[in-house]
Amino acid sequence: MRGYSSYDAGGVPGTCLVIGGSGRVGSRVVVQLVERGRPVRALVRPDSSIRRLAPVLSRIRLVAGDVRNPDSLAEAVRGVHQVIWAAGISPVRPGKPEDIDQVEVEGVRHLIEACKRESVAYITYLSCMYASPEARSALFRAKWRAEESIRRSGISHTILRSSVIIHPGRRFYCQIPAIHWWEKAPGIPHALPSFRNSPIASDDVAGCLIDASLNPRVRGRTVDIGGPGALSPSDWIRLAGEERGKPFKEWAIPTSLAEAGLWLGSRLFPGRMLSREIFRDMVGQDAVVDPEAMKELFPHVSLTPVRELIRRMKEKTADL
Ligand SMILES: NC(=O)c1ccc[n+]([C@@H]2O[C@H](COP(=O)([O-])OP(=O)(O)OC[C@H]3O[C@@H](n4cnc5c(N)ncnc54)[C@H](OP(=O)(O)O)[C@@H]3O)[C@@H](O)[C@H]2O)c1
């Protein structure tokens, strides 16, 4: 990989458009691009909160749009060199079923069409490790279809399939609803089998997304990304206990009971909570990445250890 060791992402010419610039990952991409001196455009919805972009607002161009609207994407990509997609529907609040395809599948198709018309040089797409044509949930099947559209687009690209993303500024246990709700309880009930994931900091995901277009190790490829440690549900509960300064007891309940609760909840509050299908997709397999492989693929991104993430969260007061 001659030449890669000396590349400097700050030196890349041309504007980068970030789709989902108001989001937790997207805003970190925008901020890091600005810090590297790149001209940045961020697509945000007219009613998006742009508070995460406050530190860089005077140095970026905001474009109002919605990926469901092809015209707004055509306008947003005009004159850009590269696009980073960090948008999407949250698994814990999936919204209306029809939005899943319109945002995740049709939105990506509209983007590809717009990029072809404007001869955009590169697309980097953020997907997740659960995306699969065999997924039980419509959301993860939609992500797979979006990946396929990009792979077949003929546009230079990288697809990054991330394990669980951790956002500093939100307390560690707030990112696991069961732990958040039971913060003051002596123990945590959970119905999670022994799957593991490799939590990765949103800043590190942003670093990988920015790195990808110039990194010959990942150009044109679909790669899994994750943080340096593999955690089981018990590890998460132990770390959450350490964070609050008092260990949690672990109360295992049958998975079938949790699934029944999720089934009922998603009927009572449609689109406003994790569905049973998404839960099954997420707990049915490990989402683990080999840290050595990550070092090989992204030698310029130094991955934040989980304990360091927790330490940083404690220092932050804002809930990002
Ligand atoms: N969080 C994880 O653990 C994880 C793991 C693997 C992959 N991912 C992927 O990473 C993506 C970003 O994650 P995140 O945690 O940063 O999510 P997030 O904070 O919810 O951000 C999602 C972004 O997408 C935007 N968006 C949603 N619908 C849109 C539409 N119709 N048109 C334009 N923009 C739209 C949102 O805009 P608003 O601000 O207006 O809502 C927001 O900026 C996810 O969607 C998922 O695909 C996440």
Side-chain angles (χ1 to χ4, degrees):
M1 298 297 163
R2 212 171 304 145
Y4 176 58
S5 59
S6 61
Y7 105 72
D8 169 13
V12 179
T15 299
C16 182
L17 169 69
V18 182
I19 315 261
S22 56
R24 295 189 180 90
V25 175
S27 58
R28 298 315 303 158
V29 174
V30 171
V31 169
Q32 287 190 27
L33 284 166
V34 169
E35 284 167 355
R36 295 175 195 211
R38 289 282 301 275
V40 184
R41 199 175 289 176
L43 181 99
V44 293
R45 292 191 278 189
D47 57 352
S48 293
S49 161
I50 51 170
R51 68 188 193 285
R52 298 188 184 102
L53 297 174
V56 294
L57 267 184
S58 60
R59 296 158 72 191
I60 62 173
R61 189 177 143 203
L62 287 181
V63 190
D66 190 306
V67 298
R68 292 170 293 188
N69 174 353
D71 292 341
S72 64
L73 279 170
E75 175 64 28
V77 301
R78 196 152 296 142
V80 311
H81 171 78
Q82 176 191 357
V83 175
I84 295 178
W85 174 289
I89 296 208
S90 162
V92 291
R93 244 181 134 76
K96 296 187 214 136
E98 61 270 26
D99 277 352
I100 292 178
D101 269 8
Q102 280 180 14
V103 173
E104 301 283 354
V105 183
E106 295 305 319
V108 168
R109 286 192 188 138
H110 299 325
L111 175 69
I112 290 169
E113 288 312 312
C115 287
K116 282 183 175 166
R117 277 197 300 275
E118 282 294 314
S119 304
V120 169
Y122 211 88
I123 300 179
T124 311
Y125 176 73
L126 177 60
S127 182
C128 71
M129 285 176 71
Y130 304 109
S132 159
E134 276 97 40
R136 292 179 175 91
S137 64
L139 179 60
F140 295 140
R141 286 196 305 274
K143 289 242 175 250
W144 171 264
R145 287 164 63 203
E147 286 186 8
E148 284 286 274
S149 298
I150 290 174
R151 281 190 278 270
R152 292 177 183 156
S153 66
I155 301 173
S156 296
H157 64 268
T158 300
I159 296 171
L160 298 182
R161 294 161 55 92
S162 181
S163 186
V164 172
I165 300 171
I166 297 289
H167 307 290
R170 301 183 87 208
R171 302 200 69 176
F172 183 68
Y173 47 67
C174 291
Q175 298 184 40
I176 316 169
I179 298 181
H180 178 36
W181 296 329
W182 289 74
E183 184 187 343
K184 295 200 168 57
I188 312 242
H190 80 81
L192 304 172
S194 56
F195 73 100
R196 295 174 311 147
N197 49 41
S198 302
I200 178 168
S202 44
D203 258 320
D204 299 344
V205 175
C208 294
L209 285 165
I210 294 170
D211 182 275
S213 67
L214 289 170
N215 177 343
R217 294 171 170 90
V218 299
R219 271 186 85 96
R221 290 184 57 194
T222 299
V223 296
D224 291 345
I225 60 169
L231 302 189
S232 68
S234 299
D235 295 328
W236 282 89
I237 291 171
R238 181 175 45 77
L239 288 167
E242 284 174 17
E243 186 198 354
R244 80 165 179 172
K246 194 172 161 204
F248 286 103
K249 289 198 175 81
E250 202 181 322
W251 296 324
I253 57 170
T255 305
S256 53
L257 197 63
E259 288 186 357
L262 289 170
W263 178 84
L264 185 64
S266 54
R267 262 141 198 86
L268 292 173
F269 309 104
R272 286 195 282 147
M273 61 184 286
L274 194 75
S275 71
R276 186 175 54 169
E277 291 72 26
I278 292 176
F279 173 79
R280 283 182 173 168
D281 284 335
M282 292 175 78
V283 302
Q285 58 178 311
D286 280 350
V288 170
V289 177
D290 174 8
E292 290 308 312
M294 276 299 285
K295 270 191 215 149
E296 279 277 308
L297 288 173
F298 295 99
H300 293 274
V301 179
S302 73
L303 294 171
T304 314
V306 177
R307 279 181 194 282
E308 170 63 16
L309 261 185
I310 295 173
R311 197 185 60 73
R312 280 194 213 160
M313 276 177 224
K314 283 182 175 167
E315 284 168 4
K316 297 227 177 195
T317 47
D319 177 8
L320 297 174

